[in-house]
Amino acid sequence: MPELPEVETVCQGLREAMLGKRFTKVTLRRKDLRFPFPGKFATRLKGRTVESIVRRGKYIVLNLSGNLALLVHLGMTGRFTIFPFQFAAGKDGKGPLHRTAPAPILDKHDHVIFDLNDGTRILFNDSRRFGIMDTVKAINVNVHPLLSNLGIDPLSKDFHAGYLADLFKKRRTSIKAVLMDQKSIAGLGNIYVCEALFRAGLSPARLAYTLAASGKTHPKLVVLVKAIQEILAEAIAARGSTLRDYASTDGSVGNYQFQLSVYDRENSQCSRSGCRGKIRRSVQAGRSTYYCPKCQQ
DNA sequence: CGGGACTCCTGCCAGC
DNA sequence: TGCTGGCAGGAGTCCC
């Protein structure tokens, strides 16, 4: 379940493997993920160089030469695995060593193979196929329908208590639903929203506007912004959380799951010092919510 | 228009 | 042991 820290970690891995490299071959092993691949997807990418890789919320944008961008969303189970080039001798076993793409044994969910000009091979695997890939003219990235409505990044300087106050006062739903709404804030998902609300001492079921009712900014919003930014920074430093599906581009897992306070910890003791509460699980909008009913109000 | 329910998909796990 | 049903969840779509 990749959220902002996991996507950021994947971006870092892709940058190391891809920047300045050229696609020599792109192979599709099926015609769609969540949506069909756009027409001529593979031939459109071939020959282009990867110039930069940026994250927009939970999306990855690869800016390619020739004014094209490759847009990727990992969905639930999408993962890239990088296989560095190998050295091989000529066909007759003689001749000079040359770089060649490795030949990893393919899994049935390896849907896309990217071969780079230095012999690196990158597989995109997505068992549940909630992932997305699309191409768009680079100059039009920000008006792409999947990106044009994204809210601000919680790590940007524009994300502050005042922004949350404006956001919350016009919403009649729970804080959790607002924080998870990508049109409001881009990048948070179930895990980190649960963790941030715990750290801020706010109930996930509390209605958003109750934190924005009065004229001046509610002090809890300052605490919430700090909690979100701290948790994201800690999770990025730990290379994300691996609960079920996530792995980074070298196949390794994240480590932040060992630092989770509430997520997937139903019935465990609340970790806040002095609190005798017990972590509960409830369901909001069909999704599990974990919280301490005692210290989150 | 806002908000909630439903939907997609497959691996995994509990329960019989 | 082997099957089955339920669950996980990001985000688009649909409906009230």
Side-chain angles (χ1 to χ4, degrees):
Chain A
M1 45 202 79
E3 301 180 29
L4 188 154
E6 291 77 25
V7 177
E8 186 62 39
T9 302
V10 169
C11 281
Q12 289 171 11
L14 292 179
R15 283 184 198 115
E16 284 174 32
M18 298 179 103
L19 283 186
K21 312 282 172 59
R22 179 166 41 82
F23 292 120
T24 50
K25 189 177 184 188
V26 176
T27 310
L28 296 184
R29 301 183 70 234
R30 56 175 299 126
K31 61 179 178 10
D32 61 346
L33 296 172
R34 180 169 180 188
F35 303 117
F37 288 99
K40 300 186 178 164
F41 178 84
T43 51
R44 202 174 290 173
L45 296 185
K46 187 178 172 182
R48 294 184 196 264
T49 301
V50 181
E51 296 180 338
S52 67
I53 299 176
V54 296
R55 181 184 57 75
R56 294 266 183 271
K58 299 178 196 172
Y59 287 87
I60 301 167
V61 180
L62 295 90
N63 291 301
L64 311 177
S65 58
N67 186 30
L68 195 76
L70 169 60
L71 192 60
V72 180
H73 193 290
L74 301 174
M76 285 295 300
T77 54
R79 64 169 71 168
F80 286 98
T81 309
I82 294 163
F83 294 86
F85 61 81
Q86 298 172 342
F87 286 107
K91 257 207 174 107
D92 55 358
K94 300 173 192 165
L97 291 176
H98 62 280
R99 290 181 176 193
T100 180
I105 296 166
L106 293 179
D107 174 85
K108 66 173 175 174
H109 300 302
D110 287 332
H111 303 311
V112 191
I113 306 170
F114 298 94
D115 282 312
L116 303 180
N117 61 313
D118 70 340
T120 301
R121 172 165 285 187
I122 301 175
L123 301 184
F124 181 77
N125 182 292
D126 185 7
S127 60
R128 272 173 246 189
R129 297 209 308 277
F130 280 11
I132 297 168
M133 283 196 197
D134 199 7
T135 51
V136 58
K137 279 189 178 181
I139 51 166
N140 292 334
V141 160
N142 291 329
V143 295
H144 189 285
L146 294 170
L147 298 185
S148 61
N149 292 317
L150 285 182
I152 65 166
D153 194 286
L155 294 179
S156 79
K157 61 173 170 27
D158 297 329
F159 181 66
H160 46 62
Y163 176 80
L164 277 188
D166 283 344
L167 189 61
F168 281 11
K169 72 183 174 199
K170 51 194 171 197
R171 299 297 295 269
R172 304 279 108 179
T173 188
S174 66
I175 312 178
K176 189 194 179 204
V178 178
L179 296 180
M180 286 187 63
D181 177 4
Q182 303 300 298
K183 291 188 279 299
S184 303
I185 301 164
L188 298 178
N190 204 17
I191 296 174
Y192 298 107
V193 166
C194 287
E195 291 299 308
L197 289 172
F198 171 76
R199 190 171 294 191
L202 285 165
S203 166
R206 183 165 173 173
L207 295 176
Y209 66 85
T210 66
L211 281 171
S214 71
K216 58 184 173 192
T217 302
H218 196 293
K220 274 285 189 185
L221 294 181
V222 178
V223 176
L224 179 56
V225 166
K226 185 160 175 278
I228 289 170
Q229 294 184 330
E230 281 175 0
I231 281 167
L232 292 176
E234 291 164 14
I236 290 170
R239 301 181 62 76
S241 302
T242 299
L243 285 140
R244 292 168 186 85
D245 302 309
Y246 167 73
S248 64
T249 52
D250 59 4
S252 65
V253 298
N255 289 302
Y256 194 69
Q257 67 276 17
F258 302 118
Q259 297 175 56
L260 295 175
S261 298
V262 289
Y263 190 85
D264 213 17
R265 295 181 58 89
E266 186 181 12
N267 292 327
S268 65
Q269 188 67 39
C270 175
S271 58
R272 192 185 301 273
S273 68
C275 181
R276 295 254 168 258
K278 206 175 186 184
I279 304 309
R280 296 286 177 213
R281 187 182 85 98
S282 70
V283 175
Q284 283 180 277
R287 296 288 177 261
S288 289
T289 296
Y290 298 90
Y291 65 104
C292 172
K294 207 152 189 162
C295 63
Q296 289 180 254
Q297 300 296 324

